[in-house]
């Protein structure tokens, strides 16, 4: 049985060699015990535990096409449009259960993209990347790995190509070639689950040109490899995680689960040949980048919808606590939140049900619709969050700290004056307010808003793809035909 | 072979008894020869002709579950989520090909809704409506009927129930019961394809109450039945259809295809028992109304997307003709139009792929997502049309009539001054401008804008359904769980 | 007393020599009796009649700075920010009273722009344009002229400069120079009040370059000058104006007032020297174009707000007639319409109160805010119209013609079935529905929607100006200062 | 000379008696030295220092109508529409200079509202509130006070009136009447500048009814009065202020200026008669509430526009640092940010230039337009912030802490990999990213987003006022008149 539990996952992390992690100016010696990191590990652990739950195991698992084993869906190569839809459903469930980013999608999306691309490269060039990669997937399935799909380079001056940068290291590239592999240097930014992963699967960040062969590298590296340094991102309200009160860490908003971000430095890391899946075949770069992006843009039509459900639930709860749940404008705003959220879900499902089989045998989403999906994700969560702020009232940003509850004298005052409708515990009202703060301005807002904006590509990246796939010539023909324009 | 061609469809209309149609203050003696009506008949005829085209016959036809015959999909009972998706794809193709409403969806949607509801009524009450209705469907399939799904009553004072109206006739109701059937009176408003149909399939317009049993009537009536009067709606720029110029009717914008609307009066029309499919079972009214509405709200995620493709094509064409197709703001607006249009399509596909089998054996769309789909249709086409107006420039509302082209002297001036980029015929530029006018302010705008707003239910109707299906209690639990609120 | 009444204005039009007007393929011999043109003349006449009304005469008139006479504000050179605000208030009143474009603003805006520009040209070049123009204004004031501010050339291939066009005539230019004046050729498109004017005041359509001196011409030409041909634009539902029923021309929607558009051809028209106000001073082109555009973009913050009031009133009326005026969603939509409309008004007032005196002595609006004003006008009217369509219900596009009311038999049916709440005349309900159609899809929609989009410059023109006037460098300094970025 | 400098202001705060402030579970003994509070004091101090700057002193000061002294505009009773406009301009300047809420507007707005209301109360009831209040204003002017305009009660169950609450103390009310004054109890929530103020000016939170006379109390209380407790609100990323690095507190984003919020408890506070300005005159409650709200809603058209300028500047700066400032989509987004921001400014200016003199002699803004202004402020800042997040790229939420810069080894890596365009210091790039974080997700986002939503009344409060002032009956008449509907 290859399905780990959350606990087994955490145990497996302990078996990694020591990671070099810097946070707030200090080296983190024990990431698993660090409360800030731990919350984000909890989110990942959910992806293991729900695979064992009676309610969700069907959604969370699949049958390996390589071994026939029952595996976690996060390691799965999609075999049908139903698989693609189940992926989205699974992501929604996990977003609902964690209220944040659970970090494991990017690996699943990278697996599927590299799988189909290596097949196509081999087909053209007679290389053996695909077989190598199947061996890699086998390990991933059997070890139930968390894989950090690693794409975004720091990029330096964005008006320049990789090879034109003053310091080429702002794009990962091969700096040395050995008989048994290559040595790479560079960095990957915005790596959400990096320190909670077993593996990094590196991909080029954009379509490289022929002259940029050294930048055209796709390979796998263990998270504890020699030469990697992690810089933990400083995020909104991150220190809240440290200040537990007697009531539990209410001020956190979401005491159990969290996200995170890392800058990962690859300082002359060696990669053995069997872990290289593309090396210089620049004409396949755009295929890899676009298919990975498409899978990952689909993902946002699931995970963010799940978190959106939490925002809607928080809105309905605070409305209830405030005694306004029957006001017509409140009900209308809740309806609007649901409407927007389900529109995102519709986009996630649509690019899935319109997916198609690839030459390699797995299923790829409809690329145009996946880009449309993500483009909406760069908009609607902001409006959903705005509506939540509207319904919440201002107290979620003016509320005193839960630490005031530890002093019986101040607690009495807080409980008296922050009371809502009769029958609702004032502390519960504070808890939901802090969750709202967390989701709209705090730690989870980073994932729900900024990541919705830039994760899986910034808005303009989707617009370029939509423009490219729009097939305007075909549409012009429709218009000309109806207007009886002939002879062109 | 039961699949009619467009020509055979038109022949079949001639076989109807005379219809009593009033238009512009006069009785229309020969509707098939009337140029205003004829354009809308052409749109319906497309639904027949494409069933015989090699490119679209797969999409346009299906296998009858009753007879096993190959039938037009418009007569089909959906057998899978693929069928539901194919329905949407078919509607998009027809919207693209006609640039307007092709009027036949409402019958398909009514067939499926009445099919599933009659089954459920019989199950509860031991009635035999379902068998009767299967017989009716058999005829529909074999005759390849256009059926007018007839739901919206005029409603009078909207703040009152049917039974409270000063004149109850503003809701269709049974006014006499005979051994062999019933006599009904009332009217149905906004009936798009009414005069182009073989049959009307009447349904109650809202969930009736127990005391409103006489209003709870679902039945089928031939289009040429005794007692029916049609009042043809007066629409924007309708008289353009009459003024053909030597160049063809350029000012029409879309010379071949058009939509229309009718007010249909049922003045004491007799309905034999075998054509009655619901009679007083008020508790099933909401099931019928909601399932019909859901199917029809799905439809808008197909047909309006197809027309949207025409708007996008018209925008790209006029940009080309004006010499601005490479301006970055033009390209960005085209991308936005595509993005919005594909979001609508995504909603149409999503409610389809999430559909489920009913007790009766046909497939019903996901009702929440179908309402989300239509809600977006009440918004995005207006923005798409606004963007088209933006790209078009102002000439589409200031352009002289094509009649000026008949006089060589004025034609020379028009051709000289309304010229666009080199190589484009000025007349072609006028044609595309008139199509743009037609789509945004003219005859087709009625379908693309106002019908998108109110067809299949006004926006508030969808909001009520979205609010009802939102499952806020479940979402509250998610939020409370994450905030560690316990004990409720 | 120089203030004409509406009747006197119409009389004065009769005194013009014959105009060469083509409409629908025919020459219009008597434009004042043509019902289509007449409705638009009625709109202009309002600008005269209200100057004599006790309620509005203060707003409609001003004291001439040239003669000291009381003159119509449409001939006035603004003397203060109050004048600029009063202009906007006057335009709102006229929009309310006519429900359409009243065509006279463009002349007022041209007067003020040419006034300030000629002063600045003279200052630089020692020319005497300004004094010439003052003489012209004197006549305008004394004759209470309607002046057609004439800017937009047909432009041909928009990717090319005037001098690069295959046929340079698509931009008005000087083709011959004589001792006593010049001869011009070309055309001006989208001229709203052209056939209802006494005069045309031509301005270049864009900032010309040094090599485009022949295109750099600003001059005045009488409407009945030799060589002018008018092509009357064909517009949505224009023929409705012709079909009066016994009940009055209900189907028109707005039986009394209308807009229009013309393409005006200047085929070798002679302009005497004293009517030339700029001739080759290309460096002042942008000053003229930008100041005229700014004044005219301000105008839209008045006139369209007035028409917006009519849309809101129509929405409230049909809600009342339908019995839904107390539904919370209806009230909320009305509030939104008001909110958007008053935002436009705020923009109109803001660019006025922030206006400043020019070197020539008249007042110019704040150019940045005037562009912001117009940019909003390219958006909000579309949303206001969408909301009106929402509130209206679908009947405004499906309603039978008022001609059915002439036959007592059909009238009875119409009255019975199109009834609204008790106490409201069905005919009145039809009238308001037709007004709604007129405003959102018909003749007035051209002015309220398309003209809001493109009149006074298309959206991108405003964005270019906003971008240019944004002063980003100053804003960067603010951000850098707060972030403690030093040393740049 | 009554104009204090920022330094003198801070000195004056030291002269207050000790305040009872709780923050993070502890009593703050020296608020002026607390770094979290100090940043917000710095913001207030700007309102003093700029009154002495040569550039802004004209805007920042006014002539007292009581003493004739030159006073800070924050203590001024507006004497003209120019004064109202200057208020908005002053607020924009301060928003630009602080990048956050400077807290002093609410006192100015309360002064003006109480001034006009007391006059009207006296007029009706023959009381002497107005004279009392003039004496109070004299002190405010002479001492150059910061006054905390204190309106919002905690409200408990929002579905109930004050008198129906289980604990009436959730609304401030009189609990004891003495010969020389009254004793009040209750709390005021969301008090931004409370701990930085000299005085609180309490007003009822809503229109009280006759039976709620004890809740109808308007009075002034010194900030250090016996019985007051302050609970300092816990806000996003507040602890950043504590962790200064060697480079300065970069992670703060805005190292110098900040906002804050307090819950203020009035636990049986005595108010002497001469400080009472309304006591039971419930029919004037709505006048006080609505005029205060209108002034304060106007304020948001100034201060948030100033902060908006900072967001725009930050966007332009990071675009420059990233090397994308010339990308057309970046330029277009900057233009959109400017457009939205200037629309808000237009609304602030419009309600000012349309203001009118009150019976008491000061000027009141146009109430409808002030509500329209604030309604837009509940929307556009969210879109401006979204666009800033878009332009920024994701690094502002994934960037390592500035503390990594203290270690030379890690500093080298950070500087290498977070480099932007050549010539820009990486540390500067980090600084601007942290400012962006501060403005969109951090401490300043509370003011720019949530306060924009709820400050001066939540969105629905404005909608109610807009609906009430819309004058729909007048607009109905316009529509009916144009449609020729007569006889009603």
């Amino acid at each position: 049985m290859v399905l780990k539990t959350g606990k087994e996952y955490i145990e497996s992390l302990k078996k990694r060699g020591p990671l070099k992690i810097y946070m707030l100016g200090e080296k983190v010696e024990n990431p698993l015990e660090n409360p800030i990191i731990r919350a984000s590990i909890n989110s990942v652990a959910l992806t293991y535990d729900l695979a064992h739950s009676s309610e969700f195991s069907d959604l969370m698992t699949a049958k390996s096409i390589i071994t026939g084993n029952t595996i976690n869906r996060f390691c799965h190569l999609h075999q049908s449009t139903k698989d693609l839809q189940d992926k989205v459903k699974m992501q929604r469930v996990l977003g609902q259960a964690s209220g944040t980013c659970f970090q494991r999608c990017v690996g699943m999306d990278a697996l599927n993209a590299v799988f189909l691309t290596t097949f196509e490269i081999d087909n053209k060039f007679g290389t053996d990347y695909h077989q190598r990669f199947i061996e890699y997937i086998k390990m991933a399935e059997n070890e139930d790995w968390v894989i950090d799909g690693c794409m975004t380079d720091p990029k330096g001056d964005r008006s320049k190509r990789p090879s034109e940068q003053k310091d080429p290291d702002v794009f990962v590239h091969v700096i040395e070639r050995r008989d048994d592999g290559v040595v790479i240097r560079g960095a990957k930014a915005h790596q959400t689950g990096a320190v909670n992963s077993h593996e990094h699967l590196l991909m080029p960040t954009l379509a490289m040109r022929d002259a940029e062969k050294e930048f055209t590298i796709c390979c796998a590296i263990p998270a504890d490899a020699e030469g990697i340094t992690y810089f933990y991102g400083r995020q909104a309200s991150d220190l809240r995680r440290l200040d537990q009160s007697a009531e539990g860490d209410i001020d956190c908003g979401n005491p159990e689960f969290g996200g995170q971000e890392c800058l990962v430095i690859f300082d002359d890391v060696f990669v053995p040949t069997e872990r290289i899946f593309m090396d210089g075949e620049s004409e396949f770069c755009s295929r890899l980048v676009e298919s990975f992006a498409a899978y990952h843009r689909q993902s946002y039509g699931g995970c963010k919808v799940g978190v959106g459900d939490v925002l809607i639930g928080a809105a309905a709860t605070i409305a209830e606590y405030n005694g306004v749940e029957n006001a017509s404008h409140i009900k209308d705003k809740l309806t609007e939140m649901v409407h927007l959220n389900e529109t995102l879900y519709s986009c996630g499902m649509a690019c899935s049900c319109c997916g198609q089989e690839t030459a390699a045998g797995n299923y790829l989403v409809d690329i145009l619709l996946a880009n449309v999906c993500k483009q909406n994700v760069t908009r609607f969560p902001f409006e959903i969050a705005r509506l939540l702020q509207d319904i919440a009232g201002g107290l979620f940003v003016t509320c005193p700290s839960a630490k005031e509850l530890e002093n019986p004298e101040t607690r009495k005052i807080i409980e008296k004056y922050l009371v809502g409708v009769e029958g609702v515990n004032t502390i519960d009202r504070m808890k939901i307010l802090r969750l709202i703060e967390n989701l709209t301005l705090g730690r989870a807002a980073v994932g729900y808003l900024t990541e919705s904006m830039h994760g899986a590509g910034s808005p303009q990246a989707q617009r370029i793809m939509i423009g490219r796939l729009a097939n305007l010539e075909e549409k012009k023909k429709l218009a000309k035909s109806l207007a009886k324009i002939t002879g062109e």
Side-chain angles (χ1 to χ4, degrees), chain A:
Chain A
M1 172 65 158
V2 298
L3 289 175
K4 286 198 174 70
T5 63
K7 207 174 152 200
E8 288 164 351
Y9 155 63
I10 292 172
E11 286 307 307
S12 74
L13 290 184
K14 291 183 187 163
K15 289 179 193 143
R16 298 180 304 187
L19 306 188
K20 196 170 169 188
I21 305 175
Y22 288 98
M23 178 196 290
L24 294 167
E26 286 174 21
K27 201 138 169 276
V28 179
E29 294 305 337
N30 192 342
L32 281 82
E33 299 309 316
N34 180 293
I36 295 178
I37 301 179
R38 185 55 186 248
S40 85
I41 292 176
N42 290 344
S43 308
V44 184
L46 263 183
T47 69
Y48 290 89
D49 280 334
L50 289 194
H52 294 272
S53 85
S54 56
E55 190 176 359
F56 297 116
S57 63
D58 278 1
L59 212 53
M60 298 291 307
T61 62
K63 195 169 168 174
S64 165
I65 58 154
I66 298 171
T67 64
N69 290 334
T70 295
I71 56 171
N72 194 301
R73 185 175 295 281
F74 282 99
C75 297
H76 187 49
L77 300 164
H78 315 295
Q79 293 303 304
S80 62
T81 59
K82 181 176 182 302
D83 262 358
L84 291 170
Q85 293 176 56
D86 282 349
K87 173 193 156 182
V88 172
K89 289 178 185 171
M90 169 183 78
Q91 291 168 314
R92 183 170 187 168
V93 164
L94 283 161
Q96 291 176 334
S98 66
T100 186
C101 175
F102 40 90
Q103 309 152 50
R104 207 176 168 188
C105 311
V106 71
M108 165 176 53
D109 295 336
L111 281 183
N112 276 276
V114 176
F115 181 79
L116 71 88
T117 307
T118 50
F119 182 90
E120 295 175 13
I121 298 175
D122 289 2
N123 215 26
K124 172 87 184 267
F125 292 112
T127 41
D128 63 348
Y129 296 131
H130 194 59
Q131 191 52 45
R132 282 185 204 170
F133 194 63
I134 286 173
E135 293 307 311
Y136 182 76
I137 294 174
K138 243 186 244 173
M139 289 187 290
E141 289 182 356
N142 288 336
E143 301 296 328
D144 209 354
W145 275 343
V146 173
I147 296 172
D148 173 36
C150 234
M151 184 169 269
T152 311
D153 293 279
K155 294 199 194 93
D157 181 343
R158 276 143 189 78
S159 65
K160 295 184 174 165
R161 298 286 313 170
S163 52
E164 298 164 356
Q165 300 288 333
K166 192 178 173 190
D167 177 356
D169 296 353
V170 294
F171 287 82
V172 168
H173 59 132
V174 175
I175 58 158
E176 186 189 343
R177 298 191 169 279
R178 300 186 193 164
D179 285 353
D180 55 348
V182 301
V183 177
I184 65 161
R185 186 187 295 160
K188 293 288 186 180
H190 323 314
Q191 296 305 306
T192 314
V195 300
N196 302 341
S197 299
H198 303 90
E199 287 277 325
H200 303 298
L201 182 50
L202 278 74
M203 298 166 284
T205 202
L206 47 76
M208 297 296 168
R209 299 182 182 163
D210 282 351
E212 297 160 336
K213 285 202 181 300
E214 299 309 294
F215 296 92
T216 309
I217 182 79
C218 170
C219 61
I221 300 173
D224 56 3
E226 184 77 29
I228 299 183
T229 310
Y230 300 88
F231 285 94
Y232 206 84
R234 172 119 222 222
Q235 296 193 321
S237 300
D238 44 10
L239 300 186
R240 295 265 180 107
R241 192 68 67 188
L242 303 176
D243 63 65
Q244 305 203 354
S245 72
E247 292 286 330
D249 36 2
I250 293 176
D251 288 356
C252 257
N254 182 343
E256 194 166 347
F257 303 110
Q260 66 184 7
E261 295 287 343
C262 268
L263 172 68
V264 187
I265 312 296
F266 298 90
D267 192 11
D268 301 4
V269 177
F270 173 70
V271 187
T273 303
E274 67 271 18
R275 281 175 156 265
I276 298 174
F277 310 121
M278 176 187 237
D279 184 9
E281 293 82 6
S282 51
E283 72 179 271
F284 284 92
C285 250
S286 68
R287 176 62 167 166
L288 178 54
V289 170
E290 287 174 14
S291 61
F292 169 72
Y295 281 125
H296 207 41
R297 289 167 192 177
Q298 168 206 31
S299 288
Y300 279 72
C303 64
K304 299 309 178 200
V305 176
V307 181
D309 287 326
V310 176
L311 275 92
I312 296 164
T317 303
I318 192 66
E320 173 199 331
Y321 287 4
N322 288 348
V324 296
E325 61 189 334
N326 292 320
S328 66
H329 77 98
I330 296 289
K331 288 196 290 186
D332 194 61
K333 285 165 189 164
L334 285 166
T335 293
E336 183 64 16
M337 293 172 82
V338 172
H339 168 66
L340 293 172
N341 203 42
E342 297 295 337
T343 300
L344 296 181
Y345 184 62
S346 293
C347 293
M349 293 309 279
C351 66
S352 303
C353 77
C354 295
Q356 293 200 302
E357 195 174 357
T358 69
N362 64 343
Y363 269 67
L364 176 59
V365 293
D366 183 281
I367 297 184
L368 172 59
L369 297 187
N371 278 281
V372 166
C373 176
K374 175 67 212 312
Q375 181 76 6
N376 282 320
V377 176
T378 69
R379 300 175 177 182
F380 295 172
F382 286 82
E383 178 62 6
I384 293 171
R386 196 187 72 88
L387 288 166
L388 172 53
Q389 290 205 23
D390 183 346
I391 292 173
L395 195 58
F396 77 95
V397 297
T398 68
C399 189
S401 169
K403 291 184 178 176
E404 313 299 354
L405 302 172
E406 293 172 34
N407 173 344
E409 186 192 343
T410 53
R411 180 183 186 114
K412 211 177 112 191
I413 301 174
I414 298 293
E415 289 190 322
K416 174 184 174 75
Y417 283 110
L418 297 191
V419 72
V421 291
E422 240 179 282
V424 168
N425 189 329
T426 298
I427 312 300
D428 285 348
R429 191 162 171 249
M430 289 175 72
K431 285 178 174 174
I432 204 76
L433 288 167
R434 286 298 173 199
L435 176 62
I436 292 170
E437 187 196 23
N438 172 264
L439 290 163
T440 58
L441 289 173
R443 202 78 193 282
V446 170
Y448 187 62
L449 300 177
T450 318
E451 192 179 290
S452 287
M453 181 63 82
H454 293 292
S458 300
Q460 189 61 10
Q462 289 113 54
R463 294 184 85 74
I464 289 168
M465 287 303 293
I466 294 169
R468 196 182 297 164
L469 298 170
N471 203 352
L472 291 180
E473 291 311 314
E474 209 49 53
K475 289 178 168 54
K476 281 183 186 178
K477 277 187 203 153
L478 298 171
K480 289 177 181 175
S481 164
L482 289 173
K484 303 294 178 200
I485 295 171
T486 53
E488 289 185 86

